[in-house]
Amino acid sequence: MGRNPMRAAITLCAAAALAAPLGTAYAAPPAQHTATDRAAHSRQTQDPVLIDCASQPQVRPEAFVLACGDGNSRLVSMQWLRWDANAAVGRGTNAVNDCDPYCAAGTFRSYPVTVRLDQPRASEDDPGERHYTRMTLTYTDGRPDGFPRTVSYPLSG
């Protein structure tokens, strides 16, 4: 980040803007599900789910929006290697808007990541449904400016 202080400032602002919405990461909204659908899903599987931007349960989603507010960070091309009662692990790509010169005119950059979901707990709305409450991303080849190699986010549900 050293050569251009203005770009560094913009990058840090973009990273901060992404970090705030990432405090509650969610998956991309799917088709709407009813409470009955959710209850049936809960009975069909004991494995935890991932809650998306529309508060719907997801299992092994191929795409996952990390920044629901503006969509400037998302997981794509996810391939899940593990999904069980304790954790889920997958590989994919984190597509992040570089917001250069500003977010509306920015370019999405792709970074390979390993994703881990863990710390499952019962849902407040449906005690029969458990959801993962933490996501950890590990960047495996490059990463957005200002991001650590490994970063964890709390998940709501």
Side-chain angles (χ1 to χ4, degrees):
M1 280 206 263
R3 286 183 279 171
N4 185 335
M6 182 60 157
R7 182 178 175 123
I10 291 170
T11 301
L12 287 174
C13 288
L18 286 174
L22 289 175
T24 53
Y26 293 97
Q32 293 296 315
H33 298 284
T34 66
T36 304
D37 293 337
R38 287 179 70 159
H41 173 80
S42 295
R43 287 188 297 274
Q44 291 171 358
T45 180
Q46 62 182 353
D47 292 343
V49 297
L50 188 58
I51 303 299
D52 69 14
C53 290
S55 299
Q56 300 302 314
Q58 298 293 302
V59 176
R60 297 178 182 264
E62 186 179 330
F64 186 84
V65 174
L66 295 172
C68 286
D70 58 16
N72 280 326
S73 180
R74 62 185 73 130
L75 298 175
V76 296
S77 303
M78 288 301 303
Q79 295 180 341
W80 296 97
L81 310 169
R82 171 184 174 188
W83 193 288
D84 60 39
N86 298 313
V89 177
R91 291 188 199 130
T93 301
N94 184 199
V96 180
N97 188 344
D98 66 7
C99 293
D100 183 19
Y102 51 92
C103 291
T107 301
F108 277 86
R109 308 283 180 197
S110 295
Y111 305 94
V113 290
T114 298
V115 178
R116 179 179 173 83
L117 306 172
D118 58 16
Q119 298 182 349
R121 75 167 188 242
S123 167
E124 292 178 17
D125 295 335
D126 178 359
E129 178 179 277
R130 292 172 5 109
H131 62 273
Y132 296 113
T133 63
R134 181 174 65 179
M135 174 185 288
T136 301
L137 302 181
T138 302
Y139 292 95
T140 59
D141 184 15
R143 60 184 180 259
D145 286 346
F147 279 51
R149 183 173 181 271
T150 301
V151 61
S152 292
Y153 304 106
L155 297 169
S156 295

